[in-house]
Amino acid sequence: MPAEPEVTVHGSLAEIPAQDWDSVACPESADGGRPVDPFTTHRFLLALERSGSTGTGTGWQPCPLVARLGGRIIAAAPLYAKSHSQGEYIFDHAWADAWQRAGGRYYPKLQLAVPFTPATGRRFLTLPGFEAEGTAALIGGAISLAEANRLSSLHVTFCTEAEADRGAALGLLRRRTQQFHWENAGYASYDDFLGQLASRKRKALRKERGIAQGFGGTIRTLTGDAIAPQHWDHFWAFYQDTGARKWGTPYLTRRAFEEFHATMRDDILLVLAERAGRPVAGALNFIGRDTLYGRYWGCIEDHPFLHFELCYHQAIDWAIAHGLKRVEAGAQGEHKLARGYLPVPVHSLHWIGDPGFSGAVARYLAAERAAVGEEIEVLTAYGPFRRCEPPE
């Protein structure tokens, strides 16, 4: 058996058998159970490729890594060559601008991430027991690929804290930003959760939900075979409206939703608001083993507070009913704080080939980490829970 893992670069997830990839991406699903993270599964990443959401012309060119030891896959990573900084949510636009103003060439770069998905999860997918060895091999392989192709940088976004620790120990620059997550403290119902809030906040949310639910229709939650192909026609209209307003061009293609329906509908929770027999708004969530991940929202009619109801309150309802530990409702949004979603740190790792520029970024990140830590502390104190503390 070789002393060091062998790392290979592939041009597509299709080149790697699903069983091999998932053996490191979601080994916990070997018994048929739900994966911890649906976004690093072979079926999700391949759906992005098959639908044309990633690949030629998108600025997300797949080049996944696989590490083998004695012919056995011990680790893998979803790696992409990027020609821009869109769809990342831990952004480096300012770094790119600074480097290019100085005469450098920032793009293309390497992004070790799940495209368009601001959800924390393992990025260095390793067999249990091979975490340190597999992570080191994948980082080494990615940096070697960047150097061989004279790429400016490597960015590992939304990794776990443990991965951030290992990456920093191997010399990568560490970054900390924040998101808002809801944590389930063993609540029996939404009212049980409300009971932990300050009286004024509790009354405000009850009023908000009452107004939203009185929009003149019904709200349905669908998963698995209850989701019909025609539901995606409606959701595509919602998604296009939101995408046009937020991003200019939606990241996912229409076919992506067909791929999700074909291979992942058991991993999806679709929340629809219907009026006069027609869906008028919807929220798309993905279901992990212990987390509900809110991903997309859209509407064709505006109704007060309906966005908050479908995206945040209904997600909490469903998580409580199904015993999930948390809801991650996507990137940004301090408005989530009043609805029980508290700030949590989010981690990323960065390698920059130019030593001088790397040093400048390292100094920036040190100051940013301190500022983010202070902001999390302040925002948590403004949370809606009684005594300004999260529940025990």
Side-chain angles (χ1 to χ4, degrees):
M1 180 176 292
E4 297 292 334
E6 177 189 8
V7 179
T8 55
V9 183
H10 298 262
S12 167
L13 262 289
E15 296 177 6
I16 306 165
Q19 183 176 357
D20 289 348
W21 181 273
D22 288 342
S23 71
V24 293
C26 50
E28 70 278 359
S29 297
D31 61 0
R34 192 182 296 281
V36 169
D37 181 355
F39 302 118
T40 54
T41 60
H42 192 275
R43 59 185 179 273
F44 181 83
L45 296 170
L46 188 60
L48 297 182
E49 288 189 39
R50 285 178 169 171
S51 66
S53 302
T54 59
T56 303
T58 68
W60 288 84
Q61 190 61 41
C63 45
L65 299 180
V66 172
R68 293 177 174 84
L69 194 60
R72 177 192 186 194
I73 292 180
I74 63 162
L79 185 66
Y80 296 83
K82 291 292 304 296
S83 60
H84 53 64
S85 290
Q86 302 301 317
E88 295 170 10
Y89 300 97
I90 295 177
F91 291 116
D92 59 350
H93 296 294
W95 304 357
D97 290 344
W99 186 234
Q100 291 177 183
R101 283 198 305 270
R105 183 168 175 259
Y106 195 75
Y107 302 110
K109 62 175 184 173
L110 291 180
Q111 194 82 18
L112 204 159
V114 176
F116 330 121
T117 307
T120 291
R122 290 189 306 132
R123 295 296 174 259
F124 304 105
L125 311 175
T126 60
L127 283 179
F130 289 88
E131 289 83 2
E133 191 172 12
T135 298
L138 292 170
I139 289 176
I143 291 175
S144 293
L145 181 64
E147 290 177 331
N149 290 277
R150 297 183 179 180
L151 305 183
S152 68
S153 52
L154 163 70
H155 307 270
V156 184
T157 44
F158 293 96
C159 62
T160 67
E161 185 174 8
E163 289 177 323
D165 290 340
R166 285 193 289 270
L170 291 168
L172 299 188
L173 303 179
R174 183 171 188 168
R175 190 175 191 183
R176 182 167 67 166
T177 51
Q178 71 169 30
Q179 276 188 337
F180 294 87
H181 296 175
W182 179 85
E183 297 287 338
N184 187 352
Y187 302 120
S189 65
Y190 187 88
D191 281 341
D192 192 16
F193 156 63
L194 285 182
Q196 298 298 316
L197 305 188
S199 175
R200 182 171 58 87
K201 301 291 187 180
R202 183 165 60 246
K203 290 177 182 177
L205 291 189
R206 282 180 173 149
K207 181 179 179 180
E208 177 176 287
R209 294 202 75 179
I211 293 172
Q213 292 175 5
F215 76 100
T218 58
I219 296 173
R220 302 171 62 197
T221 55
L222 308 172
T223 190
D225 290 340
I227 303 174
Q230 60 265 28
H231 289 133
W232 296 116
D233 293 329
H234 296 288
F235 193 81
W236 175 245
F238 306 153
Y239 176 71
Q240 281 188 303
D241 177 72
T242 300
R245 286 185 287 107
K246 285 191 173 184
W247 316 302
T249 302
Y251 295 136
L252 300 178
T253 65
R254 175 63 180 85
R255 186 180 168 187
F257 297 100
E258 296 173 6
E259 294 287 340
F260 295 154
H261 182 82
T263 64
M264 299 196 71
R265 60 184 179 273
D266 288 337
D267 303 304
I268 288 173
L269 172 68
L270 191 59
V271 184
L272 293 177
E274 298 179 346
R275 198 168 68 86
R278 181 185 67 154
V280 297
L284 173 63
N285 307 265
F286 283 81
I287 309 166
R289 181 165 287 202
D290 58 12
T291 303
L292 185 66
Y293 300 93
R295 288 304 302 115
Y296 299 108
W297 139 271
C299 65
I300 56 173
E301 294 182 1
D302 291 324
H303 296 278
F305 302 121
L306 192 59
H307 171 220
F308 300 144
E309 175 65 24
L310 298 193
C311 294
Y312 308 138
H313 304 311
Q314 288 288 327
I316 290 174
D317 279 340
W318 203 88
I320 291 173
H322 293 83
L324 300 185
K325 294 179 181 179
R326 70 185 57 83
V327 178
E328 295 189 18
Q332 305 167 345
E334 292 186 5
H335 58 278
K336 297 169 187 171
L337 187 66
R339 293 158 185 91
Y341 292 73
L342 295 182
V344 298
V346 174
H347 305 278
S348 60
L349 292 163
H350 308 270
W351 171 87
I352 296 173
D354 182 87
F357 191 52
S358 180
V361 170
R363 291 188 291 274
Y364 166 80
L365 292 180
E368 184 187 49
R369 284 193 299 271
V372 168
E374 292 174 1
E375 185 176 13
I376 288 175
E377 185 175 350
V378 169
L379 288 173
T380 300
Y382 278 100
F385 293 93
R386 289 182 292 171
R387 299 181 302 279
C388 294
E389 296 177 356
E392 296 293 335

